[in-house]
């Protein structure tokens, strides 16, 4: 069944701040095989003008996707998560995520479409630091594939 | 932010050094832990087949993270990437052997924008299939 269009524009309360740990950044950089020292070495980060080690560009997805869980699990929306695949992902950065950041995410449903029985959900996550400054916006498109005919 | 590539040095069509990224089952287990995405389609072959996949597939976000390394390695400072977006067109299928799969990424400067920025278009393939579509990064150059 198609999702309720009245959810378009709905925003969810900001998440409890996530504190970005330098060892978590290291773990992520190692997991993607990226040896750039700006992720692990404070001096290398400072040499590029950063006050602290920074996170790889896609690191923040772990935080925004967890925040999108509020939308995904909203019983009123009724998304069938067992049939969901990740369609598109985009980020726009005001600055990189840094070790020590305390980031909160405000998720908004930007669009709901129904296409050939698939439900397509666009969620925007606005990520702000503790000072309220914008860090990055993440757009996530989720596609709930049509259930097979019984 | 210190890009090591100067805006004036690049032209539309400038190719970035291409790279290949191997991915095995062990890579996926490690990425699952680091990213917190424990969906069993990324590590459990029985589960993957039950939901209609040919085998275990890589996390789309792993492929996205790998592809942008062609850009971040080129520009030096990853903070120079001010926008990055992809479409997940085909899964990267990861067989249960020592080789696993290979994600092959190339990229070129597609447009010169205002304020010293360029748009880089990326191409990512695995086993001859295009795995990312509309894969674009906007990069602030020196």
């Amino acid at each position: 069944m198609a999702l309720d269009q009245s959810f378009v524009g709905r925003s969810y309360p900001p998440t409890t701040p996530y504190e970005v740990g330098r060892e978590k950044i290291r773990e992520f950089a190692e997991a993607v095989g990226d040896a750039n020292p700006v992720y692990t070495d404070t001096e290398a980060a400072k040499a590029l003008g950063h006050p602290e080690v920074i996170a790889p560009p896609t690191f923040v997805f772990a935080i925004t996707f967890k925040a999108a869980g509020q939308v995904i699990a909203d019983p009123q929306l009724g998304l069938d998560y067992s049939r969901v695949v990740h369609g598109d992902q985009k980020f726009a950065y005001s600055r990189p995520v840094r070790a020590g950041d305390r980031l909160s995410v405000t998720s908004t449903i930007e669009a709901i479409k129904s296409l050939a029985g698939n439900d397509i959900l666009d969620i925007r996550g606005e990520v702000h630091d503790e000072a309220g400054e914008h860090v990055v916006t993440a757009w996530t498109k989720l596609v709930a594939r049509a259930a097979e005919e019984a | 932010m210190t890009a090591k590539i100067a805006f004036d040095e690049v032209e539309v069509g400038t190719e970035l050094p291409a790279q290949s990224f191997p991915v095995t089952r062990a890579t996926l287990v490690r990425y699952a832990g680091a990213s917190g995405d424990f969906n069993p389609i990324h590590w459990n072959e029985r589960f993957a087949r039950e939901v209609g996949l040919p085998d275990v597939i890589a996390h789309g976000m792993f492929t996205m993270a790998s592809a942008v390394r062609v850009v971040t390695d080129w520009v030096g400072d990853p903070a120079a990437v001010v926008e990055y977006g992809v479409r997940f067109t085909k899964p990267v299928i990861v067989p249960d052997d020592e080789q696993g799969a290979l994600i092959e990424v190339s990229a070129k400067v597609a447009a010169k924008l205002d304020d010293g920025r360029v748009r880089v278009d990326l191409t990512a393939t695995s086993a001859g299939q295009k795995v990312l579509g509309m894969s674009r990064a906007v990069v602030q150059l020196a």
Side-chain angles (χ1 to χ4, degrees), chain B residues 44-122:
Chain B
N44 182 329
E45 186 170 332
R46 173 178 51 78
F47 184 91
R49 291 188 192 279
E50 274 172 18
V51 297
L53 294 166
D55 203 336
V56 161
I57 63 169
H59 304 72
M61 289 306 300
F62 176 85
T63 304
M64 186 177 186
S66 298
V68 80
R69 286 184 53 200
V70 166
V71 181
T72 56
D73 287 356
W74 174 67
V75 77
D77 186 353
V81 176
V82 293
E83 273 184 42
Y84 178 39
V86 307
R87 175 164 297 167
F88 302 108
T89 49
K90 283 268 196 286
V92 173
I93 298 158
V94 182
D96 185 16
D97 58 29
E98 295 304 312
Q99 280 73 44
L102 199 62
I103 300 167
E104 297 177 85
V105 183
S106 61
K108 64 180 180 192
V109 175
K112 295 189 83 170
L113 311 173
D114 292 341
D115 303 325
R117 296 177 174 202
V118 296
R119 194 187 94 213
V120 173
D121 287 2
L122 296 114

Side-chain angles (χ1 to χ4, degrees), chain A residues 22 25 37-42 45 50-55 97-99:
Chain A
R22 63 164 44 240
I25 293 175
V38 73
Y39 302 135
T40 52
D41 177 350
T42 308
H50 304 297
E52 246 301 350
V53 294
I54 66 171
V97 169
R98 299 191 279 256

